[in-house]
Amino acid sequence: FSTPVQNKAPPTSIYSILSSCMYRSRTLLSSTTMGFTKTILKAGNGSLPRQGQQVTVHCTGYGKNNDLTKKFWSTKDPGQEPFTFAVGLGQVIKGWDESVIAMGLGEVAKIHCSPDYAYGRDGFPAWGIMPNSELVFEIEVLSYK
């Protein structure tokens, strides 16, 4: 097993961005691990969004009822649309903010978030996300402006 990438604040320097681009495969997060791991499934074009830009993504989230194989939401489900948010401004969970800002256009990645980088001690019961749940997201960056 490898050590997850740990991030404390949104990347603001090229070093921080490159650090958050690191990915690890076959990672097991423990209850004491904080942060996220990123596994690139398809490389993007290399350009990265800047803090505050509107980023549009396709996303599928896993971790319903503490089972990382159970989907709780997807923008690809019938009736859903791609999701747009201002990256790096705290509009989404920390794992998204810190991973998406380091994803190139067209990149597809699997993001494994520790509870503090997901919905934390409150969870999100309406979607079956229990308190202190680890979550996995498959995110594809569609556009940013």
Side-chain angles (χ1 to χ4, degrees), residues 39-107:
T39 304
I40 296 174
L41 304 177
K42 178 185 163 214
N45 73 1
S47 64
L48 303 176
R50 291 182 314 277
Q51 184 175 12
Q53 283 190 300
Q54 294 293 313
V55 178
T56 300
V57 300
H58 264 311
C59 178
T60 301
Y62 299 91
K64 186 173 186 172
N65 298 319
N66 287 323
D67 183 341
L68 294 177
T69 66
K70 288 190 179 177
K71 177 178 75 170
F72 61 82
W73 172 72
S74 179
T75 59
K76 296 180 179 183
D77 285 345
Q80 297 291 314
E81 295 183 8
F83 183 75
T84 301
F85 64 100
V87 71
L89 299 180
Q91 293 182 348
V92 292
I93 62 172
K94 201 171 189 178
W96 274 42
D97 249 353
E98 293 188 21
S99 62
V100 172
I101 203 164
M103 291 177 69
L105 189 62
E107 184 173 324

Side-chain angles (χ1 to χ4, degrees), residues 1-67:
F1 293 105
S2 58
T3 304
V5 175
Q6 295 188 16
N7 296 293
K8 300 294 182 203
T12 55
S13 69
I14 192 66
Y15 177 77
S16 297
I17 290 170
L18 292 174
S19 294
S20 64
C21 286
M22 295 172 58
Y23 61 92
R24 309 280 192 238
S25 59
R26 298 184 329 160
T27 300
L28 176 66
L29 293 177
S30 72
S31 60
T32 59
T33 302
M34 294 172 39
F36 67 90
T37 60
K38 175 182 173 185
T39 304
I40 296 174
L41 304 177
K42 178 185 163 214
N45 73 1
S47 64
L48 303 176
R50 291 182 314 277
Q51 184 175 12
Q53 283 190 300
Q54 294 293 313
V55 178
T56 300
V57 300
H58 264 311
C59 178
T60 301
Y62 299 91
K64 186 173 186 172
N65 298 319
N66 287 323
D67 183 341

